Amino acid sequence: RKSNGLEWQLLQSMKGCLSCNACVSKCPVGVSIPKARDEYLRYFSSKYKLFNHVSIYSHLEWLSYIIGFLPAYLKRVLNGRFSNTIIRKTLGLTSSPDFSVLSLRRFMHKNNIRYAKKDLLSTDKSKHVVVIVLDMFTAYYHTNIVIEFIQLLAKLDISCYVMPFQSSGKSAKSVGDFRLFEKQAGQLCENLTRLTLANSRVNFVCIEPSIALYFRADCVDYNLIKTGDKKILLPQEFLLNYFDSG
């Protein structure tokens, strides 16, 4: 294969797209760069054998979930310069973020914050019910943001639950592993639908904007999300609706 050919050069340029979907809502003619990128990755992966570490990228969310169980001192080791050098040389990640030493599970246990389940939601008669949809970035790298948002909801006396972490499929989709993407995203969207049916007043909130837009655009395009007119809200969107409703 010619790694310097036009197709490979186009692949390199496509890597500049973060798949954040921000351009989808801002483009005046409705051009979706992430969707065009997906189509090219699908074509490219069917023609060439992809890199060996693509499978690792596909499972980054799952790997982050596993690392989340490690004690704080081991996370500090992973955040060290030596570990970052290994990651850079093996995976090509030149600036990997630091794992948070905070434990969301420990905070939830200490403050009696429950995971979202059908039986709990079906019996919750609160006017406002929030289910936080965890994502890899805030759950394991910026855990303090999730904790602070939960504390804010508690001060507003809003019933809050946390959805057990599931891989969203975004990592798999970003490297062209569409089979894994559809499997992971499909399972997550099915669980969102079950929780919606359990309580029609539930508000799904995703703290990371790129993941919220991923649900609204990618999962809708692939007919994976089936929560009716209910969309995944950002924290500021939910709070705006909350204060407007009185």
Side-chain angles (χ1 to χ4, degrees):
R1 67 191 182 193
K2 296 182 179 180
S3 58
N4 60 345
L6 179 61
E7 291 178 336
W8 286 82
Q9 292 176 15
L10 184 56
L11 176 67
Q12 293 300 317
S13 65
M14 289 289 183
K15 288 182 178 180
C17 174
L18 300 176
S19 297
C20 66
N21 288 297
C23 62
V24 177
S25 59
K26 296 297 182 181
C27 181
V29 293
V31 175
S32 174
I33 299 300
K35 192 170 184 179
R37 178 181 181 273
D38 291 346
E39 293 300 323
Y40 183 74
L41 284 177
R42 192 186 294 274
Y43 156 78
F44 190 90
S45 59
S46 65
K47 184 173 181 179
Y48 298 99
K49 183 178 179 180
L50 292 179
F51 312 102
N52 294 328
H53 57 247
V54 161
S55 59
I56 299 178
Y57 285 141
S58 299
H59 293 88
L60 275 180
E61 292 176 292
W62 179 81
L63 289 173
S64 298
Y65 169 74
I66 296 300
I67 294 175
F69 286 94
L70 296 177
Y73 75 91
L74 285 180
K75 291 179 181 177
R76 290 190 178 95
V77 172
L78 291 174
N79 293 339
R81 183 179 300 178
F82 178 72
S83 298
N84 284 330
T85 300
I86 295 177
I87 293 174
R88 183 175 66 252
K89 290 184 177 181
T90 56
L91 299 180
L93 295 177
T94 57
S95 183
S96 58
D98 290 342
F99 285 97
S100 174
V101 296
L102 298 175
S103 172
L104 181 59
R105 290 181 294 105
R106 189 175 295 114
F107 169 82
M108 290 175 60
H109 178 74
K110 182 179 179 180
N111 293 273
N112 195 29
I113 306 297
R114 294 168 294 181
Y115 284 108
K117 296 181 180 179
K118 286 181 62 177
D119 55 341
L120 291 176
L121 291 177
S122 61
T123 57
D124 194 326
K125 303 303 180 182
S126 304
K127 182 179 179 180
H128 298 283
V129 181
V130 169
V131 173
I132 298 177
V133 182
L134 292 178
D135 64 274
M136 175 184 74
F137 307 105
T138 54
Y140 302 112
Y141 297 96
H142 302 287
T143 312
N144 62 302
I145 299 178
V146 183
I147 292 175
E148 289 170 3
F149 183 61
I150 293 175
Q151 292 172 332
L152 173 61
L153 295 178
K155 290 181 179 180
L156 296 174
D157 198 26
I158 296 173
S159 182
C160 176
Y161 301 86
V162 176
M163 191 169 179
F165 179 80
Q166 288 181 260
S167 296
S168 66
K170 183 175 175 63
S171 295
K173 183 173 179 291
S174 66
V175 295
D177 193 342
F178 291 96
R179 181 178 300 179
L180 183 61
F181 150 69
E182 292 183 1
K183 177 183 177 181
Q184 292 179 338
Q187 291 174 345
L188 179 54
C189 291
E190 285 179 6
N191 286 334
L192 292 174
T193 301
R194 293 192 188 99
L195 296 179
T196 300
L197 295 175
N199 190 328
S200 60
R201 296 184 304 280
V202 68
N203 294 275
F204 295 111
V205 176
C206 186
I207 298 177
E208 169 59 36
S210 65
I211 300 297
L213 292 172
Y214 162 80
F215 281 113
R216 298 181 192 179
D218 299 54
C219 293
V220 171
D221 288 342
Y222 284 83
N223 298 315
L224 296 174
I225 198 162
K226 301 174 183 177
T227 55
D229 295 330
K230 192 179 294 295
K231 67 178 182 179
I232 310 297
L233 299 172
L234 292 170
Q236 59 268 32
E237 291 174 329
F238 166 75
L239 291 173
L240 181 62
N241 294 339
Y242 170 77
F243 289 117
D244 284 345
S245 65

